[in-house]
């Protein structure tokens, strides 16, 4: 009986919020640690010169840590997507069941859904881009494009430039999520302030 009363005194935990926090934290932490590992190996001189030997070595290293990046991206994607539920719950509570400032709270829901979907698609695009680039680096001839034995490394250069460009596109998709999140927080501020 005493254990039951102790449990009843604990604050209730909102499962979707807790799940979102765990997924976002673990995905972001994994991504941060992996980026630090990649940064230790980065050399701006050979990279900007598109040195084929350096790029081939870099892609070999990327192959080793790709599964961890994929897991981190999945965790972050589902973390952002699961964050949609608590935000919609907050909008519903602030609107007092849809009876107060319905348009403002509908805007919060629209920001939450569109931002979460954009982030989910951005992360899935990142996983697809990294997997396709990894497949190309493993099975395509990237060493000799001009002649059979030229050793020009032109394929490694093209792969690195294409990877850089596609990664830059995904950064803009991620920026939309932060725009949507700022819109959510600003709208929540004005909703609470109007009470």
């Amino acid at each position: 009986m005493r254990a039951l009363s102790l449990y009843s005194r604990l604050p209730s935990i909102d499962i979707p919020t807790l799940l979102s926090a765990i997924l976002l934290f673990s995905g972001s932490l994994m991504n941060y640690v992996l980026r630090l590992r990649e940064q230790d190996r980065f050399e701006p001189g050979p990279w900007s010169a598109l040195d084929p030997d350096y790029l081939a070595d870099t892609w070999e290293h990327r192959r080793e840590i790709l599964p961890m990046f994929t897991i981190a991206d999945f965790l972050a994607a589902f973390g952002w997507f699961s964050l949609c539920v608590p935000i919609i719950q907050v909008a519903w509570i602030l609107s007092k069941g849809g009876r107060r400032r319905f348009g403002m709270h509908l805007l919060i829901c629209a920001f939450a859904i569109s931002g979460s979907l954009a982030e989910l698609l951005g992360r899935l695009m990142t996983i697809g881009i990294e997997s396709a680039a990894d497949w190309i680096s493993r099975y395509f001839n990237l060493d000799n494009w001009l002649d059979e034995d030229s050793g020009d490394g032109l394929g490694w250069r093209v792969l690195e430039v294409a990877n850089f460009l596609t990664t830059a596109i995904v950064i803009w998709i991620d920026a939309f999520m932060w725009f949507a999140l700022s819109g959510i927080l600003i709208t929540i501020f004005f909703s609470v302030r109007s009470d």
Side-chain angles (χ1 to χ4, degrees):
M1 183 87 163
R2 180 168 164 77
L4 183 60
S5 65
L6 179 63
Y7 178 74
S8 63
R9 292 181 188 181
L10 291 175
S12 64
I13 297 174
D14 186 41
I15 300 301
T17 306
L18 181 64
L19 175 68
S20 176
I22 290 170
L23 290 172
L24 283 171
F25 179 75
S26 56
S28 297
L29 182 65
M30 281 180 66
N31 213 328
Y32 180 72
V33 169
L34 291 168
R35 296 280 175 213
L36 282 179
R37 280 186 60 192
E38 235 185 20
Q39 186 179 4
D40 288 342
R41 296 179 46 86
F42 181 71
E43 296 177 27
W47 181 77
S48 61
L50 294 173
D51 177 31
D53 295 328
Y54 173 75
L55 296 177
D57 185 49
T58 300
W59 279 97
E60 182 65 36
H61 174 70
R62 288 177 184 166
R63 272 188 227 125
E64 295 169 4
I65 60 175
L66 179 65
M68 296 305 290
F69 266 120
T70 303
I71 291 169
D73 282 339
F74 268 122
L75 290 174
F78 291 119
W80 280 110
F81 197 69
S82 64
L83 183 64
C84 199
V85 173
I87 291 174
I88 292 173
Q89 288 173 339
V90 166
W92 181 254
I93 291 167
L94 288 174
S95 73
K96 296 185 179 174
R99 292 186 301 270
R100 188 180 146 277
R101 295 186 181 235
F102 184 74
M104 177 185 282
H105 299 100
L106 187 62
L107 181 64
I108 293 172
C109 295
F111 273 139
I113 292 169
S114 63
S116 295
L117 284 175
E119 184 67 20
L120 180 66
L121 291 175
R123 296 291 179 159
L124 293 177
M125 283 175 54
T126 300
I127 292 168
I129 290 166
E130 289 173 348
S131 298
D134 174 60
W135 178 68
I136 290 170
S137 74
R138 286 177 193 260
Y139 299 111
F140 281 55
N141 174 15
L142 301 175
D143 294 317
N144 304 311
W145 278 20
L146 297 178
D147 288 326
E148 190 172 313
D149 294 322
S150 65
D152 54 29
L154 192 58
W156 292 110
R157 294 173 176 154
V158 170
L159 179 62
E160 186 64 26
V161 169
N163 186 61
F164 182 76
L165 291 174
T166 52
T167 303
I169 292 169
V170 173
I171 288 172
W172 283 103
I173 295 171
D174 285 347
F176 176 74
M177 177 56 203
W178 292 107
F179 169 74
L181 188 60
S182 66
I184 290 166
L185 295 175
I186 289 169
T187 309
I188 288 174
F189 169 78
F190 284 114
S191 174
V192 170
R193 187 175 178 197
S194 67
D195 273 348

